[in-house]
Amino acid sequence: QVQLVESGGGSVAAGGSLRLSCGVSGMIYSYYCIGWFRQRPGKEREAVAVIDANDYPHYADSAKGRFTISRDTAKNTLYLEMNNLEPEDTAVYYCGANAPSTMSGIQALTVAEYRFWGQGTQVTVSS
């Protein structure tokens, strides 16, 4: 069973930065997609940034130029570096995995395709 554990959330002023981490365990599959998603108050869960089965990153428009997704396979950890944060980025951020999967391209941003989720970490950005 794939298990995902997020950490690194917190409160920050607009313009600030945060780095989220997601510890991954139980990933027995060679091909999968993994990424970051968020749920803002009163909104549905949405993709932020993912790494597809071909190891390419894809970003939601709201994240392009500000957020960077990366992973350290040796540490089994996924990261999301968030810079120039805005109040609109306030949300619960989730790590999600779609495994096994050969999905590639922007299709990897499809929330409904993901079946493994962490418990989420709160990010609050004040104006």
Side-chain angles (χ1 to χ4, degrees), residues 74-86:
K75 295 182 178 179
N76 292 319
T77 303
L78 182 75
Y79 301 100
L80 183 68
E81 185 74 36
M82 303 187 293
N83 297 313
N84 194 21
L85 283 161
E86 304 168 351

Side-chain angles (χ1 to χ4, degrees), residues 92-105:
V92 178
Y93 283 72
Y94 297 91
C95 181
N98 177 14
S101 175
T102 57
M103 194 165 54
S104 62

Side-chain angles (χ1 to χ4, degrees), residues 10-14 18 37-44 46 48 66-67 82 85-93 121-127:
S11 297
V12 64
L18 282 174
F37 303 78
R38 70 184 182 188
Q39 190 159 12
R40 294 183 281 183
K43 304 287 187 180
E44 294 187 353
E46 61 183 354
V48 176
R66 299 189 300 130
F67 296 0
M82 303 187 293
L85 283 161
E86 304 168 351
E88 293 73 24
D89 296 316
T90 294
V92 178
Y93 283 72
T121 186
Q122 176 72 45
V123 171
T124 302
V125 183
S126 58
S127 58

